[in-house]
Amino acid sequence: MEISKYTDMIIIYVSQYGLKIIAAILIFLIGRWAVKKLTSLSKKLMQKAQIDQTLIEFSESLIYFVLLLVVVLASLNTLGVNTTSFIAVFGAAGLAIGLALQGSLANIGAAVLIIIFRPFKVGDYVEAGGATGVVEDVNLFSTIIAPLDNRTIIVPNSSIIAGNIINYSNKKQRRVDHVFGIGYDDDLKLAKDTLMQVMIDDTRVLSEPAPFVAVSELGDSSVNFVFRAWVNTEDYWDVYFEMLEKVKLTFDEKGISIPYPQMDVHTNKIEG
């Protein structure tokens, strides 16, 4: 008799709530699938409209979050949950969570500022938030930067906005700067002409602005030259490193020395 009672209760609950639970699960699963499709479609449309990649990545995250929230509310409504009161509870909980997660909200606000003022975009080479590398993604909470050694650095957006941002890709041209020293006994004019010729011989060095070489310092052990060559931004690092090698090899060919710090130690013999 007791078993029959519980069996009847189970049948009543299953018949009353079983279909609702199944419907809620189906709504959530189908809705999540639809959200992914709609998010992907919106991304393709924005790419077709040639919208900035940074804005596309940010909008994609925002659209997905908002649509998924709608799906969750629809699933709860199917279960018979009063979503109006749920939204009120959610708002109160959101306020409490917001106070506890002020840093995360600051990151969201910083993401909005990055999108509005656009100090950089996806694909730019930047120095920001203590990281240096190529910007791979900007989402609601962080910016993903990949250094040249192929690591992944996740930087909170608030850290980026709070500090200096150096964008190395923003300009079409960059200047390669080096300082080269020669010995005081070396031919100053020959060294200066040699440095200038090294730049002129490289087709990647732009003629306008013109290359520049000048004596910058009469140092303790060397005469120092500033060496400045303008190049297209995409050629910067190749030219930067290759110039060091070319100057050293050319100086060696022409017998021009590059001094290095040294110390002369004199000892005095004291006779007792």
Side-chain angles (χ1 to χ4, degrees), residues 48-65:
K48 189 174 181 180
Q50 297 182 340
I51 295 174
D52 181 77
Q53 186 64 26
T54 307
L55 182 58
I56 292 175
E57 298 292 341
F58 180 80
S59 300
E60 181 185 16
S61 300
L62 187 61
I63 291 171
Y64 181 81
F65 176 78

Side-chain angles (χ1 to χ4, degrees), residues 7-272:
T7 303
D8 292 340
M9 289 178 61
I10 292 172
I11 293 173
I12 293 172
Y13 278 116
V14 168
S15 61
Q16 187 173 0
Y17 297 105
L19 291 177
K20 289 184 178 181
I21 293 173
I22 293 173
I25 293 173
L26 287 175
I27 288 174
F28 178 76
L29 294 176
I30 296 173
R32 189 175 64 172
W33 175 84
V35 166
K36 290 181 178 178
K37 290 295 182 181
L38 288 172
T39 303
S40 177
L41 177 61
S42 64
K43 182 178 181 179
K44 290 178 180 178
L45 291 174
M46 286 187 287
Q47 288 175 335
K48 189 174 181 180
Q50 297 182 340
I51 295 174
D52 181 77
Q53 186 64 26
T54 307
L55 182 58
I56 292 175
E57 298 292 341
F58 180 80
S59 300
E60 181 185 16
S61 300
L62 187 61
I63 291 171
Y64 181 81
F65 176 78
V66 172
L67 291 179
L68 188 61
L69 181 60
V70 172
V71 170
V72 170
L73 291 176
S75 300
L76 292 174
N77 190 55
T78 303
L79 285 173
V81 177
N82 188 341
T83 53
T84 303
S85 59
F86 177 79
I87 292 174
V89 172
F90 182 78
L95 178 61
I97 294 172
L99 292 174
L101 300 175
Q102 293 182 36
S104 297
L105 294 178
N107 288 327
I108 296 175
V112 173
L113 292 177
I114 291 173
I115 295 301
I116 293 174
F117 295 105
R118 297 177 61 184
F120 54 78
K121 61 182 183 297
V122 171
D124 283 355
Y125 187 83
V126 303
E127 181 180 337
T132 302
V134 177
V135 177
E136 289 190 337
D137 183 34
V138 179
N139 56 50
L140 288 174
F141 300 100
S142 62
T143 295
I144 300 175
I145 296 177
L148 295 177
D149 59 3
N150 209 29
R151 291 175 294 151
T152 297
I153 302 177
I154 301 174
V155 185
N157 289 327
S158 58
S159 297
I160 290 178
I161 291 298
N164 294 332
I165 300 173
I166 301 175
N167 189 334
Y168 295 102
S169 302
N170 193 43
K171 303 292 185 181
K172 294 182 179 180
Q173 299 172 354
R174 288 186 64 188
R175 193 179 72 188
V176 175
D177 288 272
H178 285 304
V179 175
F180 295 105
I182 65 171
Y184 274 93
D185 294 332
D186 291 307
D187 188 328
L188 186 147
K189 188 175 186 308
L190 175 62
K192 183 176 180 179
D193 291 342
T194 299
L195 290 172
M196 181 61 73
Q197 194 61 46
V198 167
M199 287 189 281
I200 293 173
D201 290 343
D202 194 315
T203 56
R204 295 167 298 182
V205 175
L206 304 175
S207 57
E208 186 60 38
F212 179 78
V213 177
V215 176
S216 62
E217 181 187 17
L218 300 177
D220 293 336
S221 59
S222 64
V223 177
N224 297 325
F225 292 89
V226 290
F227 175 99
R228 296 172 180 172
W230 286 90
V231 298
N232 291 323
T233 299
E234 59 268 21
D235 295 327
Y236 178 83
W237 287 111
D238 290 337
V239 174
Y240 181 92
F241 292 116
E242 289 178 23
M243 283 299 178
L244 293 170
E245 181 178 347
K246 286 180 180 179
V247 168
K248 177 63 170 69
L249 293 174
T250 306
F251 274 12
D252 289 345
E253 289 175 5
K254 298 195 175 185
I256 302 171
S257 66
I258 300 179
Y260 51 87
Q262 54 185 319
M263 180 183 295
D264 293 330
V265 179
H266 302 275
T267 59
N268 295 322
K269 183 178 180 181
I270 301 175
E271 295 182 0

